């Protein structure tokens, strides 16, 4: 089954404790991205990657890191989480090009709470 | 970057028709997507427009006017399960990234 998986789905942590949210896709997509979603603010892009070893900042990259060592994986790293990073996080993937088949597929989301 | 605007909330009656508008400003328009998102769940793809005109897919249709920077999503024969947030997303190829930017979403409430 074609899918994007994220782990963990739920996480409660404390300020300053490094954490990683994993993202994996099995569709051989080149493009992957991370979003956070907050009430009233919609989906905001954190980082994106257009291929292995190619990453770039989105609209809200502060406090986050990513890596893209393999095509299928795109982990999101919070080196020193703070309460303002409490949010619902989505990973997404898509293939390059400009046709209808290039819609993004989203993971199920990770709900993070930083105390 | 893009500036995408859509209404925050709309209400409609079961069985009716509702139109959700989206306006955008972008330097290198390269396609517009509509997604549906139920509370706490991932967005799911509904429609895609890159040329002017109407795309119809069952009860859902999406319209695009590139010259006006305007799109709408039309939902017919509304059902209670259509209560969800509807996200307009615009792809801009000017900066080299073909990953869409999302509007804040329109929360649609369908009542009996």
């Amino acid at each position: 089954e074609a899918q994007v998986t994220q782990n963990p789905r739920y996480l409660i942590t404390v300020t300053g404790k490094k954490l990683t949210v994993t993202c994996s896709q099995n569709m051989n997509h080149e493009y992957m991205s991370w979003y956070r979603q907050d009430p009233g603010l919609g989906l905001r892009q954190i980082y994106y990657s257009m291929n292995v070893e190619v990453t770039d900042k989105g609209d809200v990259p502060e406090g986050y890191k990513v890596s893209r060592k393999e095509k299928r994986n795109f982990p999101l790293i919070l080196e020193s989480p703070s309460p303002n990073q409490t949010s619902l996080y989505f990973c997404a993937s898509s293939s390059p090009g400009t046709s209808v088949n290039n819609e993004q597929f989203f993971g199920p989301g990770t709900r993070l709470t930083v105390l | 970057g893009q500036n995408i605007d859509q209404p925050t909330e709309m209400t409609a009656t079961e069985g009716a028709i509702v139109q959700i508008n989206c306006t955008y400003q972008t330097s290198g328009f390269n396609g517009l997507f509509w997604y549906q998102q139920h509370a706490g769940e991932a967005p799911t793809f509904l429609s895609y427009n890159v040329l002017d005109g109407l795309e119809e897919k069952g009860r859902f249709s999406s319209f695009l006017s590139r010259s006006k920077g305007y799109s709408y999503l039309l939902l017919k024969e509304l059902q209670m399960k259509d209560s969800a947030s509807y996200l307009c997303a615009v792809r801009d190829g000017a900066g080299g990234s073909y990953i869409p930017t999302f509007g804040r979403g329109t929360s649609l409430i369908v009542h009996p």
Side-chain angles (χ1 to χ4, degrees):
Chain A
E1 180 192 353
Q3 60 182 350
V4 179
T5 56
Q6 291 178 230
N7 281 292
R9 294 288 314 279
Y10 303 91
L11 179 61
I12 300 174
T13 189
V14 295
T15 299
K17 187 176 181 182
K18 181 180 178 180
L19 67 92
T20 299
V21 184
T22 64
C23 173
S24 184
Q25 50 94 5
N26 62 1
M27 294 168 279
N28 202 36
H29 285 162
E30 281 82 359
Y31 292 178
M32 297 186 76
S33 53
W34 274 104
Y35 297 88
R36 61 176 290 173
Q37 188 171 38
D38 304 287
L41 296 178
L43 279 167
R44 293 181 293 168
Q45 191 178 78
I46 303 170
Y47 268 94
Y48 65 92
S49 169
M50 295 174 73
N51 215 325
V52 175
E53 301 293 0
V54 180
T55 64
D56 213 340
K57 295 178 180 178
D59 297 320
V60 288
E62 294 77 21
Y64 304 94
K65 284 174 56 177
V66 293
S67 69
R68 188 91 183 273
K69 294 188 172 65
E70 306 164 283
K71 197 173 187 180
R72 63 183 294 127
N73 296 323
F74 190 44
L76 179 70
I77 303 154
L78 285 74
E79 294 270 3
S80 183
S82 62
N84 64 11
Q85 292 179 298
T86 292
S87 187
L88 178 59
Y89 291 86
F90 287 103
C91 179
S93 73
S94 61
S95 55
T98 56
S99 75
V100 65
N101 294 325
N102 304 122
E103 83 265 21
Q104 288 185 290
F105 292 81
F106 284 83
T110 295
R111 188 166 292 281
L112 173 66
T113 301
V114 184
L115 301 174
Chain B
Q2 300 93 1
N3 188 13
I4 302 168
D5 196 35
Q6 45 182 135
T8 302
E9 186 175 292
M10 299 181 71
T11 59
T13 305
E14 193 176 15
I17 299 172
V18 71
Q19 177 175 312
I20 302 173
N21 296 326
C22 172
T23 58
Y24 64 88
Q25 294 172 318
T26 182
S27 50
F29 178 80
N30 205 280
L32 186 145
F33 298 83
W34 283 97
Y35 286 81
Q36 180 190 61
Q37 185 180 25
H38 286 98
E41 298 182 8
T44 54
F45 171 75
L46 285 178
S47 70
Y48 171 74
N49 295 72
V50 67
L51 299 176
D52 291 351
L54 189 69
E55 294 284 339
E56 297 187 80
K57 198 187 269 190
R59 294 190 298 116
F60 293 3
S61 304
S62 57
F63 172 82
L64 176 68
S65 169
R66 288 172 295 170
S67 62
K68 295 181 180 172
Y70 167 69
S71 172
Y72 67 72
L73 180 69
L74 193 72
L75 293 78
K76 303 176 189 173
E77 301 168 16
L78 280 173
Q79 302 174 11
M80 298 297 289
K81 68 178 182 179
D82 296 330
S83 292
S85 186
Y86 291 86
L87 311 178
C88 173
V90 176
R91 185 165 54 196
D92 183 341
S97 164
Y98 287 88
I99 297 177
T101 297
F102 285 80
R104 296 187 177 192
T106 299
S107 178
L108 174 65
I109 301 167
V110 180
H111 55 84

